[in-house]
Amino acid sequence: MASPASSDSDQVLVEANGSTRTLILNRPKQLNALSSAMVTGLLKCFTSYEEENTVKLLIVKGNGRAFCAGGDVAEVAQSINNDSWKYGADFFRTEFLLNYIIATYSKPQVSLLTGIVMGGGAGVSIHGRFRVATENTVFAMPETALGLFPDIGASYFLSRLPGFYGEYVGLTGARLDGAEMLACGLATHFVPLNRMSLLEESLKRVDASDPFAICGIIDQFSKQPSLKGSSSLNRMDIINRCFSKGTVEEIISTLEQEAPSVSDKLVTAAIQSLRKASPTSLKISLASIREGRLQTVGECLRREYRMVCHVMRGDFSRDFFEGCRAILVDKDRNPKWMPPTLDQVHDGVVANYFSKVDDPHWEDLNLPTRSSHGRRIVPKL
């Protein structure tokens, strides 16, 4: 029987089975989008269970047709408008601390990725040790279309995908299926949907924290799916040629040069996505992923926290609020980005997003010392 993780919210449920704890994201009508109460509840669970010797394994899953569609950015934007940017800063501070604890967790976590896994949903799963995808899994980092950037430590794991696939996924918001997640390393296993409940029941009977033992159990239910012919991973030559460029302008220009000769839907879709996205978001996202290649997960999260605070304050652009209006509130899907073109987003402005916030009450993200620097991403291409 599942019970609420905290007394003031039933948005995260906990089911206890022996030494296994199953954390259930429980906002099905909102596709389990992470509210402030959920982030706080999850952090409390992860922190306390790491200290409890009787708890050896954590399972994380979503209630309904989504694992988690991301952070509740509409809630954040509304709260900032009503109150202060510091509400948003507090939300992301807690969320990024949770991401860091998960990325450096000493006990195995198995995330069952049924349905939608986007944005903040990736933050509470991809950083964990085991990520199990299936036939109906849909992964994406759609932040550039919202005037945001791939945060939650995404600059760490996107920068470790094969070649320049992370730049492609992070800038275009391209959707990946379960087979693609496994192939590029975002998922560690692929289990058919009709075997997922059997896997879960087997894991609930485990009385061990040994990752090799947990992996062995998941392996028993896993299969190696085939990539679809149209998969973007079958176009890695084009992706690497285009998304290895040093600037967003060069990426788009190279894609446009490719378009006439390849007549490939991937190229056309990528150009359309990049043309629709916030120019500021595209530039800071590319810079963030490139920085992430040489940083630990903690360093990525600290930098991303600076970036997101600048976004919440609207220091250099208010595209985040315009994106929320156009995509989530009015839903006219016609954001008016400012500045409206890439050439108007200067390198100095991009660099400013990585700087400390000019506010006497602001502090950098303070993360505890942990023994790990983040998970390895192991592609299976």
Short mmCIF file of all heavy atoms in Angstrom, two decimals, residues 257-287:
data_model
loop_
_atom_site.label_atom_id
_atom_site.label_comp_id
_atom_site.label_asym_id
_atom_site.label_seq_id
_atom_site.Cartn_x
_atom_site.Cartn_y
_atom_site.Cartn_z
N GLN A 257 22.75 23.85 -46.02
CA GLN A 257 23.57 23.37 -47.14
C GLN A 257 23.33 21.89 -47.41
O GLN A 257 23.39 21.42 -48.56
CB GLN A 257 25.04 23.62 -46.84
CG GLN A 257 25.45 25.08 -46.85
CD GLN A 257 26.85 25.31 -46.28
OE1 GLN A 257 27.68 24.41 -46.32
NE2 GLN A 257 27.09 26.49 -45.74
N GLU A 258 23.07 21.14 -46.33
CA GLU A 258 22.79 19.70 -46.46
C GLU A 258 21.43 19.44 -47.08
O GLU A 258 21.24 18.46 -47.81
CB GLU A 258 22.83 19.03 -45.07
CG GLU A 258 24.19 19.00 -44.40
CD GLU A 258 25.03 17.83 -44.88
OE1 GLU A 258 24.50 16.95 -45.58
OE2 GLU A 258 26.23 17.78 -44.54
N ALA A 259 20.46 20.30 -46.78
CA ALA A 259 19.06 20.04 -47.11
C ALA A 259 18.80 19.66 -48.57
O ALA A 259 18.11 18.66 -48.84
CB ALA A 259 18.20 21.23 -46.71
N PRO A 260 19.32 20.39 -49.56
CA PRO A 260 19.00 20.04 -50.96
C PRO A 260 19.54 18.69 -51.39
O PRO A 260 18.93 18.00 -52.23
CB PRO A 260 19.68 21.17 -51.77
CG PRO A 260 19.93 22.26 -50.79
CD PRO A 260 20.18 21.59 -49.49
N SER A 261 20.66 18.27 -50.83
CA SER A 261 21.31 17.05 -51.31
C SER A 261 20.81 15.79 -50.61
O SER A 261 20.86 14.70 -51.18
CB SER A 261 22.83 17.16 -51.15
OG SER A 261 23.16 17.41 -49.79
N VAL A 262 20.33 15.92 -49.36
CA VAL A 262 19.95 14.70 -48.63
C VAL A 262 18.45 14.43 -48.61
O VAL A 262 18.02 13.31 -48.38
CB VAL A 262 20.48 14.74 -47.18
CG1 VAL A 262 22.00 14.76 -47.16
CG2 VAL A 262 19.91 15.91 -46.41
N SER A 263 17.64 15.45 -48.88
CA SER A 263 16.16 15.34 -48.81
C SER A 263 15.75 14.48 -47.62
O SER A 263 15.02 13.50 -47.75
CB SER A 263 15.59 14.76 -50.12
OG SER A 263 16.02 13.42 -50.30
N ASP A 264 16.25 14.87 -46.45
CA ASP A 264 16.06 14.09 -45.23
C ASP A 264 15.13 14.86 -44.29
O ASP A 264 15.34 16.04 -44.01
CB ASP A 264 17.43 13.87 -44.57
CG ASP A 264 17.38 12.76 -43.53
OD1 ASP A 264 16.57 12.87 -42.61
OD2 ASP A 264 18.17 11.80 -43.66
N LYS A 265 14.10 14.17 -43.78
CA LYS A 265 13.16 14.82 -42.86
C LYS A 265 13.85 15.33 -41.61
O LYS A 265 13.45 16.33 -41.02
CB LYS A 265 12.04 13.85 -42.48
CG LYS A 265 11.05 13.57 -43.59
CD LYS A 265 9.94 12.64 -43.12
CE LYS A 265 8.94 12.37 -44.25
NZ LYS A 265 7.87 11.42 -43.83
N LEU A 266 14.89 14.61 -41.17
CA LEU A 266 15.61 15.03 -39.97
C LEU A 266 16.19 16.43 -40.15
O LEU A 266 16.08 17.27 -39.27
CB LEU A 266 16.74 14.04 -39.64
CG LEU A 266 17.63 14.39 -38.45
CD1 LEU A 266 17.98 13.15 -37.65
CD2 LEU A 266 18.92 15.10 -38.88
N VAL A 267 16.80 16.68 -41.31
CA VAL A 267 17.42 17.98 -41.57
C VAL A 267 16.36 19.07 -41.60
O VAL A 267 16.51 20.13 -40.97
CB VAL A 267 18.22 17.95 -42.89
CG1 VAL A 267 18.72 19.34 -43.26
CG2 VAL A 267 19.40 16.98 -42.76
N THR A 268 15.27 18.82 -42.30
CA THR A 268 14.19 19.80 -42.40
C THR A 268 13.59 20.11 -41.03
O THR A 268 13.37 21.28 -40.68
CB THR A 268 13.07 19.29 -43.34
OG1 THR A 268 13.65 18.94 -44.59
CG2 THR A 268 12.00 20.35 -43.55
N ALA A 269 13.32 19.05 -40.26
CA ALA A 269 12.73 19.23 -38.93
C ALA A 269 13.68 19.98 -38.00
O ALA A 269 13.25 20.84 -37.22
CB ALA A 269 12.38 17.87 -38.34
N ALA A 270 14.98 19.68 -38.11
CA ALA A 270 15.97 20.36 -37.26
C ALA A 270 16.01 21.85 -37.59
O ALA A 270 16.03 22.69 -36.67
CB ALA A 270 17.34 19.73 -37.44
N ILE A 271 16.01 22.18 -38.86
CA ILE A 271 16.03 23.60 -39.26
C ILE A 271 14.79 24.32 -38.74
O ILE A 271 14.87 25.41 -38.18
CB ILE A 271 16.13 23.74 -40.80
CG1 ILE A 271 17.48 23.22 -41.29
CG2 ILE A 271 15.92 25.19 -41.23
CD1 ILE A 271 17.57 23.08 -42.81
N GLN A 272 13.62 23.69 -38.90
CA GLN A 272 12.37 24.30 -38.44
C GLN A 272 12.39 24.53 -36.93
O GLN A 272 11.98 25.59 -36.44
CB GLN A 272 11.18 23.42 -38.83
CG GLN A 272 10.88 23.42 -40.31
CD GLN A 272 9.75 22.46 -40.68
OE1 GLN A 272 9.37 21.59 -39.90
NE2 GLN A 272 9.23 22.60 -41.89
N SER A 273 12.86 23.54 -36.17
CA SER A 273 12.92 23.66 -34.71
C SER A 273 13.85 24.78 -34.29
O SER A 273 13.52 25.58 -33.39
CB SER A 273 13.37 22.34 -34.08
OG SER A 273 12.45 21.32 -34.33
N LEU A 274 15.02 24.85 -34.93
CA LEU A 274 15.98 25.89 -34.58
C LEU A 274 15.48 27.28 -34.95
O LEU A 274 15.73 28.25 -34.23
CB LEU A 274 17.32 25.60 -35.26
CG LEU A 274 18.05 24.33 -34.80
CD1 LEU A 274 19.23 24.02 -35.71
CD2 LEU A 274 18.52 24.46 -33.35
N ARG A 275 14.75 27.38 -36.05
CA ARG A 275 14.21 28.67 -36.48
C ARG A 275 13.10 29.16 -35.53
O ARG A 275 12.89 30.36 -35.36
CB ARG A 275 13.65 28.56 -37.90
CG ARG A 275 14.71 28.43 -38.99
CD ARG A 275 15.49 29.70 -39.13
NE ARG A 275 16.45 29.65 -40.25
CZ ARG A 275 17.50 30.46 -40.34
NH1 ARG A 275 17.73 31.35 -39.39
NH2 ARG A 275 18.32 30.37 -41.36
N LYS A 276 12.37 28.21 -34.91
CA LYS A 276 11.26 28.58 -34.01
C LYS A 276 11.72 28.88 -32.59
O LYS A 276 11.04 29.56 -31.83
CB LYS A 276 10.23 27.45 -33.96
CG LYS A 276 9.39 27.31 -35.21
CD LYS A 276 8.40 26.15 -35.04
CE LYS A 276 7.54 25.95 -36.29
NZ LYS A 276 6.63 24.79 -36.13
N ALA A 277 12.87 28.35 -32.20
CA ALA A 277 13.34 28.45 -30.82
C ALA A 277 13.84 29.86 -30.49
O ALA A 277 14.13 30.67 -31.38
CB ALA A 277 14.44 27.43 -30.57
N SER A 278 13.92 30.14 -29.21
CA SER A 278 14.46 31.42 -28.75
C SER A 278 15.94 31.53 -29.13
O SER A 278 16.74 30.66 -28.78
CB SER A 278 14.33 31.51 -27.22
OG SER A 278 15.29 32.39 -26.68
N PRO A 279 16.33 32.59 -29.85
CA PRO A 279 17.74 32.76 -30.22
C PRO A 279 18.66 32.80 -29.00
O PRO A 279 19.74 32.20 -29.01
CB PRO A 279 17.74 34.10 -30.96
CG PRO A 279 16.37 34.22 -31.53
CD PRO A 279 15.47 33.62 -30.49
N THR A 280 18.21 33.47 -27.93
CA THR A 280 19.02 33.52 -26.71
C THR A 280 19.18 32.13 -26.12
O THR A 280 20.29 31.72 -25.73
CB THR A 280 18.39 34.47 -25.68
OG1 THR A 280 18.31 35.79 -26.23
CG2 THR A 280 19.20 34.51 -24.39
N SER A 281 18.07 31.38 -26.06
CA SER A 281 18.12 30.02 -25.50
C SER A 281 19.06 29.13 -26.29
O SER A 281 19.82 28.34 -25.71
CB SER A 281 16.72 29.41 -25.49
OG SER A 281 15.89 30.06 -24.57
N LEU A 282 19.02 29.22 -27.61
CA LEU A 282 19.89 28.40 -28.44
C LEU A 282 21.36 28.67 -28.15
O LEU A 282 22.16 27.75 -28.00
CB LEU A 282 19.60 28.65 -29.92
CG LEU A 282 18.27 28.11 -30.46
CD1 LEU A 282 18.06 28.58 -31.90
CD2 LEU A 282 18.24 26.58 -30.40
N LYS A 283 21.70 29.94 -28.02
CA LYS A 283 23.11 30.29 -27.83
C LYS A 283 23.62 29.89 -26.45
O LYS A 283 24.73 29.36 -26.32
CB LYS A 283 23.33 31.78 -28.09
CG LYS A 283 23.24 32.13 -29.57
CD LYS A 283 24.07 33.34 -29.91
CE LYS A 283 24.21 33.50 -31.42
NZ LYS A 283 25.06 34.65 -31.79
N ILE A 284 22.81 30.12 -25.41
CA ILE A 284 23.29 29.75 -24.07
C ILE A 284 23.27 28.22 -23.91
O ILE A 284 24.09 27.66 -23.19
CB ILE A 284 22.51 30.44 -22.94
CG1 ILE A 284 21.04 30.04 -22.90
CG2 ILE A 284 22.65 31.97 -23.06
CD1 ILE A 284 20.28 30.61 -21.69
N SER A 285 22.36 27.54 -24.61
CA SER A 285 22.30 26.08 -24.54
C SER A 285 23.53 25.44 -25.17
O SER A 285 24.12 24.52 -24.61
CB SER A 285 21.04 25.55 -25.23
OG SER A 285 19.87 26.02 -24.58
N LEU A 286 23.92 25.94 -26.34
CA LEU A 286 25.10 25.40 -27.01
C LEU A 286 26.35 25.63 -26.15
O LEU A 286 27.15 24.71 -25.94
CB LEU A 286 25.29 26.05 -28.38
CG LEU A 286 26.51 25.57 -29.18
CD1 LEU A 286 26.43 24.07 -29.47
CD2 LEU A 286 26.67 26.36 -30.49
N ALA A 287 26.48 26.82 -25.60
CA ALA A 287 27.63 27.13 -24.76
C ALA A 287 27.64 26.25 -23.51
O ALA A 287 28.70 25.78 -23.08
CB ALA A 287 27.60 28.61 -24.36
#
